[in-house]
Amino acid sequence: MSKDYYKVLGVDKAASEDEIKKAYRKLAHKYHPDKSGGDEDKFKEINEAYQVLSDKSKRTNYDRFGTTEPFGGAGGFSSGFGGGAWEGFNGQVDLGDLDDIFDTFFEGLGVRPKRRTYRQGSDLEINQEITLEEAHSGTAKEMKIKTMVRCEKCNGKGGDLSSGFSSCTECSGRGEVREEKRTFFGAFSQVKTCERCRGTGQIPNKACEECRGSGRAMSERTVTIQILPGIHDNQIIQVKSMGEAGERGSAAGDLYVRVKIKPHPIFERKGDDLIVKKELKVVDLLLGKKLEIPTLAGKKIGVEIPAHFNLKENLKIPGEGMPRLGSFGKGDLLVSFVIKAPKKPNAKFKKVLEDLGEYSE
């Protein structure tokens, strides 16, 4: 009777590829035979189930017929990798899955399979507040950031420059060493970063007194960013290599500046358009007076309300909004009218309104 591979991995039959992979990695890590409490038979069973369910064609056949031959009758992984062939996978290998498998196995052995040289600097994110006027016209902002910067005394080398450096004897100056590892799958030869020189191939004869060999020190960095006209609220500007400095000359992280635009007392932004409220007296409306509308640029524009205009809608003044970032042109200025009710009219004013009513009919 065929095994229930879904039950082996503890997943539902409708499980996604990602869910199957996560379940496999968790179980493989738990039952790896080189770990304390591991179970070799259970480990083989988990791998057998994963090789079927992670392969679309095999999974389809398994779901349809309840059986498949994922390992060419070789009985799981018994053929191993020792001979340099891939018989255990029946000639089909998902390299992406292998990376995950190796990560799990080496982690179980207490070995990190992917070593870096000295640690790269971390990325930084800060907020920069600007006014709506600055977002409209564009501006330059100078910021002071407290972070790890390259050590000035040793120029990031980590060693006393006057004392010089010597070739690493561990790796003969290559920065890498070859390591042999034996696992459940067989023997693996792995090239890894030299731990003594951390991949540099050189050892300082004397550590830098300022940074104690790390090549970086805490200090204040001044960064000037250019904010383009039309930038939006919460938009992020990336500044390459202006984040935290890396150790011993490794790459620096990036700086991410999140732009925050202060609320404006008069104008409200909606995309590339600006909205301004304008108080409107009934008398001015009836007399057809020209209205003065302020703009964000500081000028005033005279406008007339068109005949039969619906005051519930916004009056559009083209091209007086925000610049369109990354393209030509500007948005519009939208005037939202607020009708101001007149004082209680006297008899004379009432007569004028009655005559006006008859005229409008």
Side-chain angles (χ1 to χ4, degrees):
M1 183 177 179
S2 178
K3 294 180 181 179
D4 188 341
Y5 290 137
Y6 292 102
K7 187 175 181 180
V8 170
L9 294 183
V11 296
D12 188 78
K13 287 189 176 182
S16 65
E17 293 180 10
D18 188 53
E19 289 172 332
I20 290 173
K21 183 180 289 187
K22 287 181 179 178
Y24 162 70
R25 293 192 66 183
K26 182 179 179 181
L27 292 172
H29 182 72
K30 179 179 179 181
Y31 291 105
H32 192 282
D34 289 339
K35 293 190 63 177
S36 175
D39 187 324
E40 183 174 339
D41 292 335
K42 183 69 174 177
F43 184 70
K44 288 182 180 180
E45 187 180 43
I46 292 166
N47 278 297
E48 181 180 334
Y50 178 69
Q51 290 305 313
V52 174
L53 299 185
S54 63
D55 185 293
K56 290 184 179 180
S57 61
K58 293 177 183 177
R59 183 179 179 180
T60 299
N61 289 335
Y62 175 74
D63 289 343
R64 184 176 298 175
F65 306 113
T67 183
T68 184
E69 295 182 358
F71 308 116
F77 285 82
S78 58
S79 58
F81 288 65
W86 303 94
E87 295 91 345
F89 290 97
N90 204 25
Q92 297 181 358
V93 182
D94 186 337
L95 295 180
D97 290 343
L98 281 179
D99 283 342
D100 292 336
I101 294 171
F102 292 158
D103 283 349
T104 300
F105 297 154
F106 286 130
E107 185 180 352
L109 295 171
V111 179
R112 295 185 63 86
K114 297 179 181 178
R115 288 183 172 85
R116 297 179 179 178
T117 56
Y118 280 93
R119 187 166 67 86
Q120 179 175 325
S122 300
D123 294 335
L124 300 177
E125 180 177 333
I126 62 172
N127 293 336
Q128 176 61 53
E129 196 173 52
I130 63 173
T131 65
L132 188 58
E133 285 85 355
E134 289 174 324
H136 180 269
S137 61
T139 184
K141 289 290 183 180
E142 184 179 277
M143 298 169 293
K144 294 186 181 299
I145 306 164
K146 191 171 184 180
T147 184
M148 300 295 288
V149 301
R150 177 177 292 185
C151 176
E152 294 183 358
K153 187 170 184 178
C154 67
N155 196 28
K157 301 293 185 181
D160 185 349
L161 299 180
S162 61
S163 301
F165 295 77
S166 300
S167 179
C168 177
T169 56
E170 186 73 20
C171 63
S172 300
R174 292 190 300 269
E176 296 178 336
V177 294
R178 186 174 294 276
E179 182 182 69
E180 295 287 338
K181 283 290 179 183
R182 297 194 63 83
T183 72
F184 177 73
F185 289 112
F188 287 91
S189 179
Q190 182 187 19
V191 176
K192 68 185 186 81
T193 301
C194 176
E195 293 185 356
R196 185 167 183 233
C197 67
R198 300 286 188 90
T200 64
Q202 292 185 320
I203 301 293
N205 293 326
K206 182 181 178 182
C208 173
E209 296 179 355
E210 186 71 24
C211 63
R212 297 182 180 180
S214 69
R216 59 183 189 170
M218 183 63 70
S219 185
E220 192 172 66
R221 170 177 287 160
T222 301
V223 181
T224 300
I225 61 166
Q226 295 293 330
I227 298 177
L228 298 178
I231 194 166
H232 290 266
D233 186 46
N234 273 325
Q235 192 163 343
I236 294 177
I237 300 173
Q238 181 183 12
V239 188
K240 286 283 190 181
S241 302
M242 283 295 160
E244 183 183 78
E247 294 179 349
R248 291 282 299 275
S250 295
D254 296 333
L255 173 65
Y256 293 88
V257 182
R258 184 182 296 273
V259 177
K260 307 289 288 185
I261 301 177
K262 299 177 185 178
H264 198 279
I266 299 176
F267 296 94
E268 177 187 348
R269 184 174 184 176
K270 187 176 182 181
D272 291 326
D273 295 333
L274 292 173
I275 301 174
V276 62
K277 291 183 178 180
K278 178 64 178 179
E279 190 177 89
L280 180 63
K281 296 179 181 179
V282 175
V283 174
D284 293 339
L285 176 63
L286 296 176
L287 295 176
K289 284 188 176 181
K290 183 175 284 190
L291 305 175
E292 281 193 342
I293 307 299
T295 69
L296 188 60
K299 62 181 180 178
K300 292 187 177 181
I301 299 177
V303 298
E304 293 181 357
I305 299 178
H308 306 294
F309 180 76
N310 185 354
L311 294 174
K312 291 183 179 180
E313 298 178 355
N314 293 329
L315 181 65
K316 182 188 293 185
I317 304 177
E320 290 296 336
M322 297 292 291
R324 292 190 172 94
L325 186 65
S327 62
F328 296 103
K330 290 184 175 183
D332 301 322
L333 178 60
L334 306 176
V335 184
S336 175
F337 292 108
V338 180
I339 307 298
K340 186 177 181 180
K343 295 179 181 179
K344 187 174 181 181
N346 55 28
K348 184 177 180 180
F349 186 48
K350 283 184 179 180
K351 182 67 171 62
V352 172
L353 290 177
E354 289 173 356
D355 293 341
L356 184 62
E358 293 176 3
Y359 171 77
S360 62
E361 291 176 359

